[in-house]
Amino acid sequence: PLGIWMLGIFIILGLFRLLQFLGQSSHFIDLDVHKTPKRREIFLRSISYICVFGFYPALLVWVILGNIWVADTELNTPDCVQGEDKLLIIFWLFAGYSWVMLYMMLLAITVYVWREEKKLKMNFVQFIRNVGVNHISE
């Protein structure tokens, strides 16, 4: 199962990055989806939801499952994986957990920026209500 696990991480990360690339390059793609700003926003939001609620948990579960498989292999058949193969598996575990931590940090930053943007919009609306639009144009 360790070979399947390493291939699974590669596929999950590949699809994850493909969706992110599609979202980032959506400015240059001329699809009917992008003809109106509202459709484009829905398209980008759906890509974000698929990444955050689909691929990220799948990656997390898959890395933890790989860790369990490696521990089980070491416990039951310590001579099964030796030498360079063992280093490769340790590297994949390290890489998997690194990706998980990186995406955790990026997700935390995204939530923070989103909350600050929401506060800023609310403050701006309150400012407009208090001061009025006529005073701003003068």
Side-chain angles (χ1 to χ4, degrees), residues 56-115:
Y56 181 75
L59 177 64
L60 180 62
V61 167
W62 198 250
V63 168
I64 292 171
L65 182 64
N67 201 3
I68 292 169
W69 280 342
V70 169
D72 185 52
T73 302
E74 279 295 310
L75 185 64
N76 295 326
T77 55
D79 296 334
C80 180
V81 181
Q82 296 178 356
E84 291 180 9
D85 291 339
K86 193 174 214 173
L87 290 176
L88 179 65
I89 291 172
I90 290 171
F91 170 75
W92 273 103
L93 278 172
F94 177 75
Y97 280 112
S98 297
W99 277 101
V100 167
M101 294 303 292
L102 175 72
Y103 284 121
M104 269 187 178
M105 290 186 324
L106 291 176
L107 186 61
I109 291 170
T110 302
V111 168
Y112 174 76
V113 168
W114 177 74
R115 290 175 76 192

